[in-house]
Structure formats: structure tokens, C-alpha cells
Amino acid sequence: MAGLLELLDKPAVQLVGSAAVVFGVQRLVPTFDPTWYKALRKPAWTPPNWAFPAVWIPLKLMQSYALSLIWREARAHPAGSVALALGAFTAHMALGNWWNIVFFGRRRLRESIPWMLAFWGSIAGTAAAFKPINQTAAALMLPTLAWVTVATKLNWDIVALNTPK
């Protein structure tokens, strides 16, 4: 058991483990038919389809590194603050997935708005909860918050453009 604990203290293991969590949780969301999204009316400023993975992959890498920094520093901080940070991060991952299910899977445009807002709030909360443990980890969450701000506006505009008046 001591060997396993020593292994878990290695930064490379923490980074790989964190990446497995961040990228693995995303795989829990089923793949949806892209033709539906392509057929929606979208604002003129909508990023091209290739931009979404081009942005999300680096963001997921930053989230992975941020999570590994929290893992690395966990023993040096009160259990309550670490639990809050990990809980906020878990909420952010779960809400991001749930938004995808509501928007793409269930095709509930209007219902996706509160979930997107909750997702945004969970990212802000994660950054705030990370800050007392590791300021770099907190800062690494901010690009995700910026992108989700754009995604929230896009979500809002798509709802407006596709809701019968």
C-alpha cells in the first residue's frame, strides 16, 4: 500500500490521472447527430465548427493540469477546502455534460439556458475554490470561463433565433 501512495504522489501520475478524469468524464456524454445542430439558425458571429474542438482540447488540458495541481497540494491544505475545490470541479464537469445532453441530446434549447448558466457558475466557483490551494490552478480555469461565456451568449442567441415568436 505504501508503494501505491508513493506512486500517487508523483506529479506525472497526478497529471495523467487528472487528464484521465477530465477527458474520461467527457466520454460519458453520448455522441449526437450533428445534422440537427447544423440545421439550426445561428448568429452570424458563430465560430466555425472546427473551432469547438480546437478550443476545447487545450481547455481540457489546462483543466487537467489545474486538477493535478490541486491533487499535488491536497495534503498541505485543510480537508474542507480541498473537498470544496474537488466538489466544485466535479459539479463543473457534471454540469458541462448535462448541458450537452439537454441541448444536443434532448434538443431542449430553452431548457438548456439555466443549465448553461449553472455550468458557467460552477467554473467560476471552481476557480474561486482552487485559489486558496493553488493560484495557478485557479488561473488555469479562467480561459474555460471565458470560452463558456462565449458559449453562453451563443446558446442564448440560438434559442432566440430558433424559438417561434
Side-chain angles (χ1 to χ4, degrees):
M1 186 63 146
L4 176 61
L5 292 177
E6 288 174 18
L7 180 65
L8 292 175
D9 274 341
K10 296 192 180 304
V13 171
Q14 294 165 344
L15 181 57
V16 170
S18 295
V21 168
V22 169
F23 285 92
V25 165
Q26 183 64 39
R27 295 305 313 149
L28 296 175
V29 175
T31 304
F32 301 112
D33 176 13
T35 57
W36 172 79
Y37 178 75
K38 288 177 185 174
L40 290 173
R41 289 187 303 267
K42 294 181 238 7
W45 64 269
T46 301
N49 287 339
W50 62 263
F52 293 93
V55 172
W56 274 113
I57 291 169
L59 291 176
K60 294 291 185 184
L61 290 170
M62 286 187 270
Q63 292 171 31
S64 299
Y65 186 56
L67 182 59
S68 76
L69 292 173
I70 299 303
W71 182 351
R72 187 174 309 159
E73 305 229 359
R75 290 189 190 159
H77 294 274
S81 64
V82 173
L84 177 64
L86 295 177
F89 190 86
T90 300
H92 133 254
M93 298 295 293
L95 287 165
N97 281 359
W98 185 247
W99 176 85
N100 275 296
I101 290 167
V102 172
F103 186 90
F104 289 106
R106 295 184 177 179
R107 301 177 181 179
R108 303 286 190 165
L109 298 179
R110 188 177 297 274
E111 290 174 24
S112 70
I113 294 288
W115 293 110
M116 179 60 88
L117 294 171
F119 179 43
W120 187 96
S122 70
I123 299 164
T126 298
F130 278 11
K131 190 172 182 183
I133 299 169
N134 185 293
Q135 290 188 1
T136 301
L140 285 166
M141 295 303 296
L142 298 180
T144 300
L145 188 61
W147 180 249
V148 171
T149 300
V150 172
T152 301
K153 174 64 171 141
L154 179 60
N155 191 172
W156 183 271
D157 288 355
I158 289 172
V159 169
L161 290 169
N162 291 277
T163 300
K165 300 202 177 338

